[in-house]
């Protein structure tokens, strides 16, 4: 199928996971979601990633985000691998890992890039909003582990900008100043953003985080 783009509806699927057979949409419910793929079980970088994801679960829970991982190996393999992850990363894996032996979900989400490897998934990340729309995609090579602090930062930005007429500048962190939408005239912006509007340039206006 064609590459999924921002704003597209995330494809639904039902699959065997480390926590039994799950339907993706039912699992997400009215939450945000993160779906991320791993090249294979019992691989070193993935082991650190899944351990880190488990440690970040409380932070994602605070933001109403549910995680689901995927690997092209089977459920029995996943369960054995989870033992290694828990042991080596000092955590407990607390989210489902899709068993995608037939690569159905991998193909659905275009997670296999043949020029990189024609059998293993790349490190794909999809952030999905409660309307099941894709809000962010990231694709890492198999050799580069993901930065979960960045994923949290992106979720904070997506949730803030979904509810307020702002954007977040480079290196923004939760609670810092944000950019007023260019579509809003400055005088109108001053009425909307009562904490103040700083006009750096007519097209670059800053205001304190409206939720802080």
């Amino acid at each position: 199928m064609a590459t999924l783009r921002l704003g597209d509806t995330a494809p639904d699927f039902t699959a065997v996971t480390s926590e039994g057979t799950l339907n993706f949409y039912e699992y997400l419910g009215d939450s945000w979601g993160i779906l991320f793929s791993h090249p294979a079980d019992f691989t070193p970088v993935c082991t650190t990633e899944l351990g880190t994801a488990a440690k970040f679960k409380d932070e994602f829970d605070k933001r109403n985000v549910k995680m689901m991982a995927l690997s092209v190996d089977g459920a029995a393999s996943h369960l054995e691998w989870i033992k290694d992850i828990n042991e080596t990363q000092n955590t407990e894996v607390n989210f489902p890992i899709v068993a995608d032996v037939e690569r159905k979900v991998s193909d659905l989400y275009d997670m296999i890039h043949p020029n990189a490897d024609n059998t293993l998934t790349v490190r794909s990340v999809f952030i999905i909003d409660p309307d099941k729309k894709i809000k962010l995609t990231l694709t890492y090579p198999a050799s580069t582990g993901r930065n979960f602090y960045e994923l949290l930062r992106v979720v904070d930005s997506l949730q803030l900008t979904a509810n307020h007429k702002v954007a977040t500048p480079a290196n923004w962190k939760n609670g810092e100043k944000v950019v007023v939408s260019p579509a809003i005239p400055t005088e109108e912006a001053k009425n909307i953003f009562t904490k103040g509007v700083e006009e750096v340039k007519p097209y670059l206006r800053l205001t304190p985080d409206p939720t802080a």
Side-chain angles (χ1 to χ4, degrees):
M1 65 172 291
T3 301
L4 293 170
R5 300 183 185 277
L6 299 184
D8 287 353
T9 299
D12 192 17
F13 58 86
T14 298
V16 175
T17 79
S18 57
E19 298 184 1
T21 300
L22 294 174
N23 173 264
F24 188 47
Y25 277 16
E26 290 177 3
Y27 171 72
L28 292 181
D30 61 359
S31 298
W32 288 69
I34 293 184
L35 176 65
F36 52 106
S37 60
H38 296 271
D41 291 2
F42 301 101
T43 50
V45 176
C46 297
T47 299
T48 66
E49 286 188 319
L50 286 171
T52 300
K55 291 174 183 176
F56 272 65
K57 185 174 184 294
D58 286 347
E59 289 298 322
F60 285 115
D61 284 347
K62 288 178 190 175
R63 294 159 171 83
N64 191 31
V65 180
K66 290 185 177 180
M67 294 185 291
M68 182 179 281
L70 174 147
S71 170
V72 294
D73 294 307
S77 174
H78 288 356
L79 293 174
E80 289 302 310
W81 183 30
I82 286 171
K83 295 176 185 176
D84 281 4
I85 296 165
N86 292 342
E87 175 191 346
T88 63
Q89 306 304 305
N90 299 310
T91 190
E92 293 288 333
V93 171
N94 41 25
F95 53 87
I97 307 173
V98 173
D100 197 32
V101 177
E102 297 179 357
R103 302 178 196 144
K104 290 181 179 178
V105 181
S106 301
D107 287 340
L108 199 59
Y109 279 81
D110 197 25
M111 292 171 169
I112 293 176
H113 294 200
N115 288 334
D117 191 300
N118 62 7
T119 58
L120 304 179
T121 59
V122 291
R123 296 185 194 285
S124 298
V125 181
F126 296 87
I127 296 182
I128 298 159
D129 74 7
D131 293 327
K132 307 300 183 288
K133 300 297 184 183
I134 295 172
K135 306 303 289 187
L136 174 133
T137 63
L138 285 170
T139 303
Y140 296 77
S143 57
T144 302
R146 283 163 277 224
N147 184 325
F148 282 82
Y149 291 104
E150 170 63 3
L151 296 182
L152 276 182
R153 191 188 78 88
V154 167
V155 168
D156 285 340
S157 174
L158 289 170
Q159 294 184 343
L160 174 65
T161 58
N163 295 309
H164 299 274
K165 295 177 180 180
V166 297
T168 55
N171 293 337
W172 174 85
K173 293 179 183 176
N174 199 9
E176 295 180 347
K177 289 182 178 180
V178 294
V179 173
V180 176
S181 169
I184 303 174
T186 297
E187 289 308 310
E188 183 181 340
K190 289 177 180 177
N191 292 327
I192 295 172
F193 302 106
T194 55
K195 294 179 181 179
V197 175
E198 173 191 350
E199 186 175 280
V200 181
K201 291 285 184 182
Y203 62 86
L204 175 56
R205 289 85 46 81
L206 301 175
T207 188
D209 182 338
T211 64

